[in-house]
Amino acid sequence: MPGFGDIVQKAFYLGVGLASYAGEKAGGKLTELRSQVQKLADEMVAKGEMNTEEARRFVEDMMKQAQQQPTSGQTPEKTAPSEPRRINILDDDEEEANGKEVKKENKENRNNVDHLRDQVLELQEELKRLQREP
């Protein structure tokens, strides 16, 4: 009958093996994604839609985004703030002025997010279309 130490050791090796396997899989997916994004960028350069410097930045940005996105099923870890949150006490006039500025800023941010979301969807459709072409 194996001892408790053997079970712990086997569990540790299993965890290391699973982590290694997951890392290899993720690396393979990132390599595949990089080649697809690079192919798309090359085609856009060939069509004259962007220059080589823009294509290089495009590929780098897409890879950064891919690496930053948590995989499905995982929740991003919340980190504790390094210091307590500061609370500012405003009088009624300041509060009203700040509220209007915040609403305007929120509307602009929503518009920017919507615009970026549309661009991402267009790029995804273009990538799917390019993958279907022989």
Side-chain angles (χ1 to χ4, degrees), residues 40-123:
L40 174 63
D42 291 343
E43 288 178 13
M44 292 176 80
V45 167
K47 292 179 183 177
E49 295 177 5
M50 66 172 57
N51 63 34
T52 55
E53 181 62 26
E54 291 171 332
R56 184 186 60 76
R57 283 195 310 265
F58 171 74
V59 171
E60 288 175 3
D61 291 345
M62 293 300 285
M63 293 308 297
K64 284 179 187 174
Q65 287 179 4
Q67 290 172 351
Q68 289 174 352
Q69 292 178 347
T71 57
S72 60
Q74 291 181 344
T75 56
E77 294 181 19
K78 293 184 179 180
T79 57
S82 59
E83 61 182 46
R85 185 175 60 129
R86 295 176 188 226
I87 299 175
N88 295 328
I89 299 174
L90 306 173
D91 62 20
D92 291 339
D93 294 334
E94 288 177 309
E95 189 174 329
E96 196 172 300
N98 284 342
K100 289 178 183 177
E101 289 176 20
V102 168
K103 286 180 183 178
K104 181 180 177 185
E105 196 173 299
N106 285 344
K107 185 176 181 181
E108 290 173 0
N109 286 342
R110 276 194 303 268
N111 290 340
N112 288 340
V113 168
D114 291 340
H115 179 69
L116 289 172
R117 186 176 290 124
D118 291 341
Q119 285 180 331
V120 168
L121 290 173
E122 289 173 10
L123 287 171

Side-chain angles (χ1 to χ4, degrees), residues 9-28:
Q9 185 179 19
K10 288 179 182 179
F12 173 76
Y13 288 145
L14 175 64
V16 170
L18 287 174
S20 175
Y21 177 74
E24 289 174 13
K25 282 291 204 184

